[in-house]
């Protein structure tokens, strides 16, 4: 951790000094910049060179300069250019400046030259995609592809659209075709890296980022995405190299500051993290990850009211984000608003799989509100350290079968109907609905997850395994892989379940869930060193606040003969859960082995009292 703290200071200072290195190899961006200068010098002498103005506009598009491109398009119009031919370029320039409505107004202002209809549709597709209008975006991209079927850059945008539409297979096909059309397209290779990261994991994506940067060493987006991946892998020095280079290209890019803030927060330097987050100047305020990090940082720095504001905003966007609810609850409670804390915790503690930390906080809040019975119930559930199963469907009692029958491919109508049918014991009908959705969306991981959840709830473990395998082939993240591991375990394939968890650990080294489960598997087969390695990774990430992690580490160290360390860890667990029988028993045994017979006897007497 100390090493990481030192690195955060180095990281911040190095970014301020970015650009002080020696000369870098030539890149496509450098060639574009050189050509831009040549054109601008030529046009300074004769601004009525129509072809040169259009070429300059297209170069400025590639350089990401929407303002400059718009000026070049206007100059081309002034030089006698055809408004019908230049209209899509003017709209693209407006869209690049974040003015989608103005882009549509430009496109609607007059006719479009036939040879430019494809480009106009391309612009419209990107604007619709930015607005979240996926149906209109699909129509626009379909039209653009008809006219520009061999444009690699267009196929990259088609891949982005399909990815936004959760069509993982379609996105892969589109990006592979983009690379086939232009094997040196840095944009296509970088987006391929993003898709591989989702499909196969962090490590597998790195060679694709490297290929993208070989094609264009100055691809700022690829540099930043690569840096984020390296950070998730814990390779902070390599992350620094990518961020330093990106800072020379886009020094005001907010993601640079955000990624630094993540590293600073992980190192416990919350003041630096806050400073870095503030440097984004509001440009990432609507991003869920930014909201969550801001809430955590403010809470750690004692700004409970500000933390509550960030958490509340995130919950508005993601009502089922349990981490945000925990932050909101502790912020409200620390700020003296017990009612607000209880309201934030209610959706968590009502679940059968509620975590012990939330239950403990709920017990304290309930006690403060005078609800002694509720407080005792929460304490008992927390002390058990045995949460129930997470229900994939939470029936709300809606009788929506007719609506789902009328629109069988609309998840918003089908899922509530499935909830009601599962609650009523009609698992067969729910599976039929899930089958129809899955068959219509074979390239969508969520469709396979929905079917797998339904099959699992119905006890059809074999079908659940097949469906979760299909989902994992599209998205190898936690949400698919952990479901597959659970289904394999329930189907009796213990070895397969363990291999699945270890594969997640290898592909996503930052996964806390993978380390926890891998640690539990190691405990089951008495591989104490492996268990310690996995659980210590978890403890390093989350601190000494998880009773189960502390308890399992104590067991593993005790089994390995390190009684002193085991006793220290179980003492920490006891402070968190003084009523848990297993924690008390282990603590008593270790105290007795260490010669503290009186302490051991006191704990065993307490165990008997609690048991009665």
């Amino acid at each position: 951790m100390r090493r990481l703290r030192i690195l955060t200071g180095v990281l911040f200072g190095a970014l301020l000094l970015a650009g002080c290195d020696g000369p870098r190899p030539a890149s496509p961006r450098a060639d574009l910049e050189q050509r831009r200068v040549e054109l601008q010098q030529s046009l300074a002498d004769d601004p009525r060179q129509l072809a040169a103005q259009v070429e300059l506009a297209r170069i400025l598009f590639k350089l990401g300069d929407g303002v400059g491109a718009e000026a070049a398009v206007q100059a081309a119009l002034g030089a006698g250019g055809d408004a019908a031919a230049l209209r899509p370029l003017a709209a693209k320039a407006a869209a690049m400046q974040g003015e989608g409505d103005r882009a549509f107004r430009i496109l609607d202002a007059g006719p479009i030259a036939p040879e430019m209809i494809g480009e106009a549709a391309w612009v419209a597709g990107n604007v619709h995609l930015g607005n979240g209008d996926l149906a209109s975006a699909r129509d626009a991209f379909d039209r653009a592809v008809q006219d520009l079927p061999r444009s690699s850059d267009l196929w990259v945008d088609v891949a982005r659209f399909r990815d936004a539409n959760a069509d993982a297979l379609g996105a892969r096909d589109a990006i592979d075709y983009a690379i086939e059309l232009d094997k040196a397209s840095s944009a296509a290779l970088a987006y391929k890296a993003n898709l591989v990261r989702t499909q196969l994991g962090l490590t597998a994506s790195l060679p694709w980022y490297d290929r993208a940067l070989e094609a264009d060493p100055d691809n700022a987006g690829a540099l930043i995405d690569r840096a984020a991946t390296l950070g998730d892998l814990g390779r902070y020095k390599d992350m620094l190299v990518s961020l330093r280079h990106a800072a020379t290209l886009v020094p005001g890019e907010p993601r640079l500051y955000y990624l630094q803030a993540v590293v600073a927060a992980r190192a416990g330097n919350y003041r630096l993290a806050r400073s870095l987050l503030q440097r984004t100047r509001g440009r990432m305020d609507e991003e869920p990850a930014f909201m969550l990090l801001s809430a955590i940082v403010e809470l750690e720095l004692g700004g409970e009211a500000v933390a509550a504001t960030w958490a509340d905003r995130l919950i508005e966007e993601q009502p089922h984000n349990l981490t945000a609810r925990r932050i909101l609850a502790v912020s409200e409670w620390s700020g003296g608003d017990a009612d607000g804390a209880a309201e934030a915790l209610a959706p968590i503690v009502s679940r059968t799989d509620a975590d012990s930390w939330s239950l403990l906080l709920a017990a304290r809040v309930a006690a403060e509100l005078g609800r002694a019975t509720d407080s005792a119930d929460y304490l008992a559930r927390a002390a058990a350290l045995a949460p129930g199963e997470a229900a994939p469907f939470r029936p709300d009692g809606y009788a929506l079968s007719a609506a789902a029958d009328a629109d069988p491919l609309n998840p918003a109508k089908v899922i509530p109907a499935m909830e009601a049918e599962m609650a009523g014991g009609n698992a067969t009908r729910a599976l039929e609905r899930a089958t129809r959705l899955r068959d219509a969306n074979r390239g969508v991981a969520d469709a396979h997850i929905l079917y797998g959840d339904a099959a699992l709830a119905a006890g059809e473990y074999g079908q659940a395994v097949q469906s979760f395998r299909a989902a994992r082939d599209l998205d190898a993240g936690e949400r698919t892989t952990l479901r597959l591991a659970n289904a394999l375990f329930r189907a009796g394939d213990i070895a397969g379940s363990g291999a699945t968890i270890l594969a997640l650990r290898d592909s996503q080294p930052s996964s806390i869930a993978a380390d926890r489960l891998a640690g539990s598997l190691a405990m089951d087969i008495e591989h104490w060193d492996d268990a310690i390695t996995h659980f210590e990774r978890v403890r390093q990430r989350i601190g000494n606040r998880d009773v189960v992690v502390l308890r399992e580490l104590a067991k593993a160290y005790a089994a390995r003969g390190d009684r002193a360390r085991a006793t220290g860890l179980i003492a920490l667990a006891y402070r968190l859960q003084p009523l848990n029988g297993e924690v008390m028993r282990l603590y008593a045994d270790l105290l007795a082995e260490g010669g503290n017979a009186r302490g051991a006897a006191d704990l065993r007497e307490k165990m008997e009292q609690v048991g009665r």
Side-chain angles (χ1 to χ4, degrees), residues 159-177:
R160 286 194 179 95
F161 157 72
R162 292 178 179 176
D163 192 26
N165 207 30
D167 182 2
L169 284 180
R172 282 187 226 164
D173 289 343
I175 208 64
D176 287 345
Y177 188 51

Side-chain angles (χ1 to χ4, degrees), residues 44-65:
D45 297 330
D46 181 9
R48 297 190 65 78
Q49 300 177 70
L50 178 58
Q53 293 286 10
V54 173
E55 183 185 357
L56 176 60
R58 291 194 179 279
I59 285 174
L60 291 169
F61 283 140
K62 292 181 179 179
L63 291 171
D65 184 358

Side-chain angles (χ1 to χ4, degrees), residues 28-40 51-66 68-69 72 92 96:
R29 183 181 180 90
D31 294 339
L32 289 170
E33 289 283 8
Q34 181 178 345
R35 181 57 181 159
R36 176 186 64 79
V37 171
E38 293 171 355
L39 286 169
Q40 288 176 333
Q53 293 286 10
V54 173
E55 183 185 357
L56 176 60
R58 291 194 179 279
I59 285 174
L60 291 169
F61 283 140
K62 292 181 179 179
L63 291 171
D65 184 358
K92 182 175 181 178
M96 284 186 67

Side-chain angles (χ1 to χ4, degrees), residues 445-515:
D446 285 331
H448 294 283
I449 289 173
L450 179 66
Y451 181 89
D453 283 345
L456 200 64
E460 299 289 346
Y461 301 136
Q463 294 180 43
V465 167
Q466 292 178 8
S467 197
F468 290 141
R469 283 194 201 280
R472 191 185 61 166
D473 288 342
L474 299 169
D475 178 351
E478 283 188 3
R479 68 194 186 113
T480 56
T481 308
L482 295 180
R483 279 177 163 90
L484 175 58
N486 181 37
L488 286 166
F489 185 85
R490 291 191 177 196
D493 186 355
I494 310 302
S497 178
T500 300
I501 292 166
L502 292 176
L504 175 63
R505 175 68 188 86
D506 291 340
S507 65
Q508 307 278 4
S510 60
S511 171
I512 292 175
D515 263 325

